[in-house]
């Protein structure tokens, strides 16, 4: 098989780039290790910044998001039994959209199908070859058959556990990583959300988050030790723990129900540099991960895709490679800002098992400063709603 751009990974990053390139007439193929059903069963992001939403519209995939997604102009922070609101719109002039990653991935798949885009599912043993040359190629197996894809560019959009980043030689790639001593236990339930806007909670028993997917679908999280297993947590135990961490008035109106998904995600900060090696370009979770506290993960992927899309268009349409040459530095500059914000927000709101009283006092002071200073709220709002691309 021959194509111009071979994209590894059929998550939001890979599908978005595929769709954008296709609309500009640039031939591409997406190779996805999992089945479509599996990709669509993963429950992940819920909050999108306007930059991501704009890309969905450019990709002609924004119609359902604009119809069904909810615009949120503020978030709540719960602490010491009280609720404080940060007005995102007032402080930054911007807002976020609550629209699930599952739904936007479904929209992207449907668009790819409509345009007869090539997305190969169940692609096993994907391997990248000669990416530092002008003739890279990718091999994979599907249904017992081996296939070779000759291309001009390879895009590694295969998430944190993908194969692309690992294809960059060890003496070229620098990895920066921070692991947190806790995870998030998440529950999705077909219940009315406890609050119309998200509630981020700091509590001595650990962080909690009340989020939502729609007015009939709620998403809640509680901080748990890394040693906990999902099987340890019955639905009852989850609701009891969540209520203990929420302010009384919120806990009293929480509607509980059967969980329709329950999983534990470890928290990690990670950046791989550079994001380019020859004709291989990394994008999204393949190159960087944030703890979900600041809702930045998918939104960091969005700027990678934006830069990469424009760089590839300039290359194919005008023979101008400036964007490709600058891609890694440009993408990383924004990635590190999202890293900083996610790390800061995680530190402020979580309970650390070994923290000393001095650190706990500072955490509390950080939060009090945020909630009492318009300058701090403005900084929070501009980061949470998305720094410019
Ligand atoms: P993905 O979504 O991981 O997709 C990568 C795809 O590549 C496939 N793959 C391979 N394909 C071929 N060959 C291989 N060898 C392959 N290895 C892997 C995988 O099967 C997969 O389909 O990466 P992508 O596209 O870069 O998208 C990134 C986002 O998924 C991620 O950043 C967000 O989900 C992070 N995130 C959030 N981000 C936000 O912006 N806002 C949020 O509110 C938010 N909430 C969250 C989150 C992530 C969470 N978890 C579970 C980590 C909440 C949670 C709980
Ligand atoms: C979610 O709804 O899954 C969600 C929302 C906000 C976050 C993280 C996850 O910061």
């Amino acid at each position: 098989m021959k194509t111009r751009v071979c994209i590894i990974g059929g998550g939001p990053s890979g599908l978005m780039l595929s769709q954008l390139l296709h609309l500009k007439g640039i031939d591409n193929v997406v190779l996805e290790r999992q089945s479509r059903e599996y990709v669509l069963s993963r429950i992940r992001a819920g909050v999108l910044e306007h930059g991501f939403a704009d890309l969905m519209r450019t990709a002609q995939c924004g119609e359902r998001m604009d119809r069904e997604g909810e615009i949120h102009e503020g978030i709540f922070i719960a602490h010491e039994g009280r609720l404080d609101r940060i007005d995102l719109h007032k402080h930054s002039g911007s807002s976020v959209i609550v629209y699930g990653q599952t739904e936007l991935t479904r929209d992207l798949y449907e668009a790819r199908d409509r345009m007869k885009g090539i997305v190969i599912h169940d692609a096993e043993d994907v391997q990248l070859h000669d990416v530092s040359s002008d003739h890279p190629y990718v091999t994979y197996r599907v249904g017992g058959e081996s296939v070779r894809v000759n291309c001009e560019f390879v895009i590694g959009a295969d998430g944190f556990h993908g194969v692309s980043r690992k294809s960059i030689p060890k003496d070229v790639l620098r990895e920066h990583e921070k692991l947190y001593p806790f995870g998030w236990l998440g529950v999705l339930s077909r219940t009315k959300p406890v609050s119309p806007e998200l509630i981020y909670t700091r509590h001595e028993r650990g962080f909690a988050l009340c989020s939502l997917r729609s007015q009939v679908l709620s998403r809640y999280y509680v901080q748990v030790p890394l040693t906990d297993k999902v099987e340890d947590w019955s639905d009852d135990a989850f609701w009891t723990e969540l209520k203990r961490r929420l302010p009384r008035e919120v806990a009293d109106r929480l509607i509980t129900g059967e969980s329709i998904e329950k999983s534990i995600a470890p928290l990690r900060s990670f950046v791989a540099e550079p994001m380019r090696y020859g004709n291989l370009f990394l994008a999204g979770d393949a190159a960087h991960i944030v703890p979900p506290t600041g809702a930045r993960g998918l939104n960091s992927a969005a700027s990678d895709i934006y830069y990469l899309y424009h760089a590839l268009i300039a290359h194919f349409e005008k023979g101008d490679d400036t964007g490709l040459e600058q891609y890694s530095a440009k993408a990383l500059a924004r990635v590190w800002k999202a890293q900083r914000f996610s790390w800061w927000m995680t530190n402020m709101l979580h309970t650390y098992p070994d923290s000393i009283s001095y650190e706990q006092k500072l955490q509390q002071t950080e939060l009090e400063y945020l909630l009492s200073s318009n300058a701090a709220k403005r900084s929070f709002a501009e980061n949470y709603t998305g720094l410019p691309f």
Side-chain angles (χ1 to χ4, degrees):
M1 198 191 314
K2 191 166 179 289
T3 190
R4 302 197 93 169
V5 183
C6 182
I7 301 171
I8 323 282
S13 301
L15 293 171
M16 174 75 87
L17 185 64
S18 169
Q19 174 70 5
L20 289 167
L21 293 177
H22 196 140
L23 286 168
K24 288 282 185 183
I26 296 163
D27 197 33
N28 67 84
V29 169
V30 176
L31 304 179
E32 166 57 51
R33 181 168 57 180
Q34 304 287 354
S35 67
R36 185 173 297 199
E37 295 68 39
Y38 183 90
V39 174
L40 291 175
S41 70
R42 292 190 296 227
I43 307 294
R44 290 188 173 176
V47 174
L48 308 179
E49 64 179 42
H50 52 93
F52 192 94
D54 285 345
L55 265 192
M56 286 290 281
R57 294 179 193 116
T58 310
Q60 298 181 3
C61 295
E63 200 191 306
R64 195 161 70 98
M65 174 191 76
D66 283 329
R67 201 174 53 242
E68 296 177 11
E70 284 183 22
I71 293 176
H72 283 212
E73 296 194 341
I75 59 133
F76 289 103
I77 297 201
H79 63 118
E80 312 283 325
R82 340 196 285 272
L83 267 188
D84 279 287
R85 182 170 186 269
I86 298 183
D87 189 327
L88 299 170
H89 192 258
K90 178 177 145 197
H91 292 288
S92 69
S94 195
S95 53
V96 291
I97 300 185
V98 169
Y99 189 65
Q101 181 166 335
T102 313
E103 299 313 314
L104 72 87
T105 308
R106 198 188 304 279
D107 296 343
L108 287 164
Y109 272 135
E110 279 174 11
R112 296 289 48 232
D113 289 349
R114 258 196 324 274
M115 294 179 64
K116 310 227 179 319
I118 304 175
V119 182
I120 315 269
H121 282 282
D122 303 305
E124 290 170 41
D125 193 23
V126 170
Q127 287 183 32
L128 287 62
H129 308 267
D130 295 348
V131 288
S132 59
S133 80
D134 285 340
H135 302 284
Y137 65 99
V138 177
T139 54
Y140 66 96
R141 276 185 296 111
V142 70
E145 193 196 334
S146 296
V147 185
R148 171 176 169 146
V149 185
N150 293 326
C151 55
E152 291 164 53
F153 296 104
V154 180
I155 309 300
D158 47 352
F160 182 69
H161 299 288
V163 67
S164 304
R165 189 180 67 250
K166 293 172 192 139
S167 307
I168 300 180
K170 284 205 164 37
D171 58 341
V172 174
L173 198 70
R174 272 161 296 141
E175 297 188 330
H176 310 275
E177 184 173 45
K178 178 177 169 57
L179 299 172
Y180 299 83
F182 39 73
W184 281 16
L185 167 66
V187 157
L188 188 70
S189 71
R190 227 174 278 292
T191 50
K192 186 174 160 47
V194 71
S195 163
E197 291 180 342
L198 274 70
I199 305 177
Y200 289 88
T201 308
R202 179 174 187 268
H203 190 275
E204 62 196 12
R205 294 183 64 84
F207 170 82
L209 171 61
C210 303
S211 182
L212 64 155
R213 292 291 177 274
S214 71
Q215 282 312 310
V216 289
L217 202 54
S218 299
R219 181 70 166 159
Y220 297 106
Y221 297 95
V222 292
Q223 173 187 346
V224 293
L226 279 177
T227 44
D228 277 19
K229 301 270 169 289
V230 178
E231 308 78 73
D232 304 337
W233 284 90
S234 66
D235 286 359
D236 277 351
F238 176 82
W239 295 120
T240 305
E241 187 57 38
L242 177 63
K243 282 185 177 185
R244 288 181 80 166
R245 297 183 190 187
L246 296 174
R248 187 61 180 275
E249 48 143 334
V250 180
D252 284 349
R253 59 185 152 88
L254 179 76
I255 299 171
T256 62
E258 196 190 333
S259 65
I260 48 179
E261 195 268 356
K262 199 191 281 163
S263 51
I264 295 184
L267 266 60
R268 183 197 304 269
S269 296
F270 174 87
V271 181
E273 300 180 311
M275 287 170 63
R276 173 193 190 174
Y277 176 64
N279 284 318
L280 165 65
F281 293 80
L282 301 179
D285 277 18
H288 43 79
I289 299 276
V290 284
T293 325
R296 294 297 79 212
L298 192 51
N299 295 308
S300 298
S303 47
D304 295 352
I305 298 304
Y306 177 87
Y307 297 137
L308 206 42
Y309 163 61
H310 286 284
L312 287 167
I313 297 298
H315 167 84
F316 285 120
E317 290 183 353
K318 296 189 228 135
D320 175 359
D321 282 354
T322 323
L324 291 176
E325 277 149 22
Q326 292 176 348
Y327 170 70
S328 180
K330 218 167 160 180
L332 283 165
R334 189 172 187 271
V335 159
W336 275 111
K337 289 180 190 148
Q339 291 281 330
R340 183 203 71 81
F341 179 69
S342 308
W343 160 85
W344 168 81
M345 200 169 160
T346 302
N347 282 345
M348 182 174 66
L349 296 176
H350 288 73
T351 304
Y352 283 75
D354 299 324
S355 72
I356 54 174
S357 66
Y358 180 84
E359 290 161 335
Q360 291 161 13
K361 282 282 179 192
L362 282 185
Q363 263 185 320
Q364 206 178 323
T365 309
E366 188 77 49
L367 187 53
E368 278 164 17
Y369 174 62
L370 168 65
L371 297 172
S372 63
S373 154
N374 277 338
K377 283 184 193 164
R378 184 168 171 209
S379 166
F380 178 92
E382 89 167 343
N383 278 279
Y384 192 86
T385 58
L387 295 171
F389 286 0

